[in-house]
Coordinates of all heavy atoms in Angstrom, one line a residue:
Chain B
G1577 N 20.1 -1.3 48.6 CA 20.6 0.0 48.2 C 21.8 0.4 49.1 O 21.8 0.1 50.3
G1578 N 22.8 1.1 48.5 CA 23.9 1.7 49.3 C 25.1 0.7 49.6 O 26.0 1.2 50.2
V1579 N 25.0 -0.5 49.1 CA 26.2 -1.3 49.4 C 26.6 -2.1 48.1 O 25.8 -2.2 47.2 CB 25.9 -2.3 50.5 CG1 25.6 -1.7 51.8 CG2 24.7 -3.3 50.1
L1580 N 27.8 -2.6 48.1 CA 28.3 -3.3 46.9 C 28.5 -4.8 47.2 O 29.2 -5.4 46.3 CB 29.7 -2.7 46.5 CG 29.5 -1.1 46.2 CD1 30.8 -0.5 45.9 CD2 28.7 -1.0 44.9
V1581 N 28.1 -5.3 48.3 CA 28.1 -6.8 48.5 C 26.7 -7.3 48.7 O 25.8 -6.6 48.9 CB 29.0 -7.1 49.8 CG1 30.4 -6.8 49.5 CG2 28.4 -6.5 51.0
S1582 N 26.7 -8.7 48.6 CA 25.4 -9.3 48.8 C 25.3 -9.9 50.2 O 25.8 -11.0 50.4 CB 25.2 -10.5 47.7 OG 24.0 -10.5 47.2
R1583 N 24.6 -9.2 51.1 CA 24.7 -9.6 52.5 C 23.3 -9.7 53.1 O 23.1 -9.8 54.3 CB 25.6 -8.7 53.3 CG 25.2 -7.3 53.5 CD 25.8 -6.6 54.7 NE 27.1 -6.2 54.5 CZ 27.7 -5.0 54.2 NH1 26.8 -4.0 53.9 NH2 28.9 -4.8 54.1
T1584 N 22.3 -9.5 52.3 CA 20.9 -9.4 52.8 C 20.3 -10.9 52.7 O 20.2 -11.5 51.7 CB 20.1 -8.4 52.1 OG1 20.9 -7.2 52.0 CG2 18.8 -8.2 52.7
F1585 N 19.9 -11.3 53.9 CA 19.2 -12.6 54.0 C 17.7 -12.3 54.0 O 17.2 -11.2 54.4 CB 19.5 -13.3 55.4 CG 21.0 -13.7 55.5 CD1 22.0 -12.8 55.7 CD2 21.3 -15.0 55.2 CE1 23.3 -13.1 55.8 CE2 22.7 -15.4 55.2 CZ 23.7 -14.4 55.5
Y1586 N 16.9 -13.2 53.4 CA 15.5 -12.9 53.2 C 14.7 -14.1 53.2 O 15.1 -15.3 53.0 CB 15.2 -12.1 52.0 CG 15.7 -12.9 50.7 CD1 14.6 -13.4 49.9 CD2 17.0 -13.1 50.3 CE1 14.9 -14.2 48.8 CE2 17.2 -13.8 49.2 CZ 16.3 -14.3 48.4 OH 16.6 -15.1 47.2
A1587 N 13.3 -13.9 53.5 CA 12.4 -15.1 53.5 C 11.3 -14.5 52.6 O 10.4 -13.8 53.0 CB 11.9 -15.3 54.8
K1588 N 11.4 -14.9 51.3 CA 10.5 -14.2 50.3 C 10.4 -12.8 50.5 O 11.4 -12.1 50.9 CB 9.1 -14.9 50.4 CG 9.0 -16.2 49.6 CD 7.5 -16.4 49.2 CE 7.4 -17.6 48.3 NZ 6.1 -18.2 48.3
G1589 N 9.2 -12.2 50.3 CA 9.1 -10.7 50.6 C 8.5 -10.6 52.0 O 7.8 -9.6 52.3
Q1590 N 8.7 -11.5 52.9 CA 8.1 -11.5 54.2 C 9.1 -11.7 55.3 O 8.8 -12.3 56.3 CB 7.0 -12.6 54.3 CG 6.1 -12.6 53.2 CD 5.2 -13.9 53.1 OE1 5.4 -14.7 54.0 NE2 4.4 -14.0 52.1
T1591 N 10.2 -11.1 55.1 CA 11.3 -11.4 56.1 C 10.9 -10.9 57.5 O 11.3 -11.6 58.5 CB 12.6 -10.6 55.6 OG1 12.8 -10.8 54.3 CG2 13.9 -11.1 56.3
G1592 N 10.4 -9.7 57.6 CA 10.0 -9.2 58.9 C 9.0 -10.2 59.6 O 9.1 -10.4 60.8
Q1593 N 8.1 -10.6 58.9 CA 7.1 -11.5 59.4 C 7.8 -12.8 60.0 O 7.5 -13.2 61.0 CB 6.1 -11.9 58.4 CG 5.0 -12.9 58.9 CD 4.2 -13.5 57.8 OE1 4.5 -13.4 56.6 NE2 3.0 -14.0 58.2
Q1594 N 8.6 -13.3 59.2 CA 9.3 -14.5 59.6 C 10.2 -14.4 60.7 O 10.2 -15.2 61.7 CB 10.0 -15.2 58.4 CG 9.0 -15.7 57.3 CD 7.8 -16.4 57.8 OE1 7.9 -17.3 58.7 NE2 6.7 -16.3 57.2
L1595 N 11.0 -13.4 60.7 CA 11.9 -13.0 61.8 C 11.0 -12.8 63.1 O 11.4 -13.2 64.2 CB 12.8 -11.8 61.6 CG 13.8 -12.0 60.5 CD1 14.5 -10.7 60.2 CD2 14.8 -13.0 60.9
L1596 N 9.9 -12.1 63.0 CA 9.0 -11.8 64.1 C 8.4 -13.1 64.6 O 8.4 -13.4 65.9 CB 8.0 -10.8 63.8 CG 7.1 -10.3 64.9 CD1 7.9 -9.8 66.1 CD2 6.0 -9.4 64.5
L1597 N 8.0 -14.0 63.8 CA 7.4 -15.2 64.2 C 8.5 -16.0 64.9 O 8.1 -16.7 65.9 CB 6.8 -15.9 63.0 CG 5.6 -15.4 62.4 CD1 5.1 -16.2 61.2 CD2 4.4 -15.2 63.4
G1598 N 9.7 -15.9 64.5 CA 10.8 -16.6 65.2 C 11.0 -16.1 66.6 O 10.9 -16.8 67.6
A1599 N 11.0 -14.7 66.8 CA 11.1 -14.2 68.1 C 9.8 -14.5 69.0 O 9.8 -14.8 70.1 CB 11.2 -12.7 68.1
Y1600 N 8.6 -14.4 68.2 CA 7.4 -14.8 69.0 C 7.4 -16.2 69.4 O 6.9 -16.5 70.5 CB 6.3 -14.4 67.9 CG 4.9 -14.9 68.3 CD1 4.3 -14.4 69.4 CD2 4.2 -15.7 67.4 CE1 3.0 -14.9 69.8 CE2 2.9 -16.1 67.7 CZ 2.3 -15.7 68.8 OH 1.1 -16.1 69.1
S1601 N 7.9 -17.1 68.6 CA 7.8 -18.5 69.0 C 8.8 -18.7 70.3 O 8.4 -19.4 71.2 CB 8.2 -19.4 67.9 OG 9.6 -19.3 67.6
A1602 N 9.9 -17.9 70.2 CA 10.8 -18.0 71.5 C 10.0 -17.4 72.7 O 10.1 -17.9 73.8 CB 12.0 -17.2 71.2
M1603 N 9.2 -16.3 72.5 CA 8.4 -15.8 73.5 C 7.4 -16.8 74.0 O 7.2 -17.1 75.1 CB 7.7 -14.6 73.0 CG 8.4 -13.3 73.0 SD 7.3 -11.9 72.5 CE 6.6 -11.6 74.1
N1604 N 6.7 -17.4 73.0 CA 5.7 -18.5 73.4 C 6.3 -19.5 74.3 O 5.6 -20.0 75.2 CB 5.1 -19.1 72.1 CG 4.0 -18.2 71.5 OD1 3.4 -17.4 72.3 ND2 3.8 -18.3 70.2
R1605 N 7.4 -19.9 74.0 CA 8.0 -20.9 74.8 C 8.2 -20.5 76.3 O 8.0 -21.2 77.2 CB 9.4 -21.3 74.2 CG 10.3 -22.3 75.0 CD 11.4 -22.8 74.1 NE 12.4 -23.4 74.9 CZ 13.6 -22.8 75.2 NH1 14.0 -21.7 74.7 NH2 14.5 -23.5 76.1
Q1606 N 8.6 -19.2 76.3 CA 8.8 -18.6 77.7 C 7.4 -18.3 78.4 O 7.3 -18.4 79.6 CB 9.6 -17.4 77.7 CG 10.9 -17.6 77.1 CD 11.9 -18.6 77.9 OE1 11.6 -18.8 79.1 NE2 12.8 -19.3 77.2
I1607 N 6.4 -18.0 77.6 CA 5.0 -17.7 78.1 C 4.6 -19.0 78.7 O 4.1 -19.1 79.9 CB 4.1 -17.1 77.1 CG1 4.6 -15.8 76.6 CG2 2.6 -17.1 77.6 CD1 3.8 -15.2 75.4
A1608 N 4.7 -20.1 78.0 CA 4.3 -21.4 78.4 C 5.0 -21.8 79.7 O 4.4 -22.5 80.6 CB 4.6 -22.5 77.3
R1609 N 6.4 -21.5 79.8 CA 7.1 -21.8 81.0 C 6.8 -20.9 82.2 O 7.3 -21.0 83.3 CB 8.5 -21.7 80.8 CG 9.2 -22.7 79.9 CD 10.7 -22.4 79.6 NE 11.5 -22.3 80.9 CZ 12.5 -21.6 81.1 NH1 13.0 -20.8 80.2 NH2 13.2 -21.7 82.3
G1610 N 5.9 -19.8 81.9 CA 5.6 -18.9 83.0 C 6.6 -17.8 83.3 O 6.5 -17.0 84.1
K1611 N 7.6 -17.8 82.3 CA 8.7 -16.7 82.6 C 8.3 -15.4 82.0 O 8.9 -14.3 82.4 CB 10.0 -17.2 82.0 CG 10.6 -18.3 82.8 CD 10.8 -18.0 84.3 CE 11.8 -16.9 84.6 NZ 12.0 -16.7 86.0
I1612 N 7.4 -15.4 81.0 CA 6.9 -14.1 80.4 C 5.4 -14.1 80.7 O 4.7 -15.0 80.4 CB 7.1 -14.0 78.9 CG1 8.5 -14.0 78.5 CG2 6.4 -12.7 78.3 CD1 8.7 -13.9 77.0
E1613 N 5.0 -12.9 81.3 CA 3.6 -12.7 81.4 C 3.2 -11.7 80.3 O 3.8 -10.6 80.2 CB 3.3 -12.2 82.8 CG 1.8 -12.3 83.2 CD 1.7 -11.6 84.6 OE1 2.6 -11.3 85.3 OE2 0.4 -11.4 84.8
M1614 N 2.3 -12.1 79.4 CA 2.1 -11.3 78.2 C 0.8 -10.5 78.4 O -0.2 -11.0 78.8 CB 1.9 -12.2 77.0 CG 1.7 -11.5 75.7 SD 3.1 -10.4 75.2 CE 2.2 -9.0 74.6
F1615 N 0.9 -9.2 78.2 CA -0.2 -8.3 78.3 C -0.6 -7.8 76.9 O -0.1 -6.8 76.5 CB 0.0 -7.2 79.2 CG 0.2 -7.6 80.7 CD1 1.4 -8.0 81.1 CD2 -0.9 -7.7 81.6 CE1 1.6 -8.3 82.4 CE2 -0.7 -8.1 82.9 CZ 0.5 -8.4 83.3
N1616 N -1.5 -8.6 76.2 CA -2.0 -8.1 74.9 C -3.0 -7.0 75.1 O -3.5 -6.9 76.2 CB -2.7 -9.3 74.2 CG -1.8 -10.4 73.8 OD1 -0.6 -10.1 73.4 ND2 -2.2 -11.6 73.9
R1617 N -3.2 -6.2 74.1 CA -4.2 -5.1 74.1 C -4.0 -4.4 75.4 O -5.0 -4.1 76.1 CB -5.6 -5.7 74.0 CG -5.9 -6.3 72.7 CD -7.5 -6.5 72.5 NE -7.9 -7.4 71.5 CZ -8.1 -7.0 70.2 NH1 -8.1 -5.8 69.9 NH2 -8.6 -7.9 69.4
H1618 N -2.8 -4.0 75.7 CA -2.5 -3.0 76.7 C -1.6 -2.0 76.2 O -0.7 -2.2 75.5 CB -1.7 -3.8 77.8 CG -2.6 -4.4 78.8 ND1 -3.4 -5.5 78.5 CD2 -2.8 -4.2 80.2 CE1 -4.0 -6.0 79.6 NE2 -3.7 -5.1 80.6
E1619 N -1.9 -0.7 76.6 CA -1.1 0.4 76.1 C -0.4 1.1 77.3 O -1.1 1.4 78.2 CB -1.9 1.4 75.3 CG -1.1 2.5 74.8 CD -1.8 3.3 73.7 OE1 -3.1 3.3 73.7 OE2 -1.2 3.8 72.8
M1620 N 0.9 1.2 77.2 CA 1.6 2.0 78.3 C 1.4 3.4 78.1 O 1.5 3.9 77.0 CB 3.1 1.7 78.1 CG 3.9 2.7 78.9 SD 5.7 2.6 78.6 CE 6.2 4.1 79.3
L1621 N 0.9 4.1 79.1 CA 0.6 5.5 79.0 C 1.5 6.4 79.8 O 1.5 7.6 79.6 CB -0.9 5.7 79.4 CG -1.9 5.1 78.4 CD1 -3.3 5.5 78.8 CD2 -1.6 5.7 77.0

Side-chain angles (χ1 to χ4, degrees):
Chain B
V1579 298
L1580 298 170
V1581 293
S1582 219
R1583 64 160 73 101
T1584 307
F1585 295 79
Y1586 64 101
K1588 273 203 175 157
Q1590 306 169 6
T1591 315
Q1593 180 190 20
Q1594 294 311 323
L1595 292 171
L1596 183 61
L1597 291 179
Y1600 168 59
S1601 71
M1603 280 185 80
N1604 277 332
R1605 179 166 161 251
Q1606 301 299 337
I1607 296 173
R1609 289 176 62 209
K1611 288 306 291 180
I1612 296 180
E1613 199 181 343
M1614 183 64 220
F1615 295 88
N1616 294 323
R1617 293 199 197 266
H1618 273 68
E1619 182 162 29
M1620 165 186 165
L1621 293 180

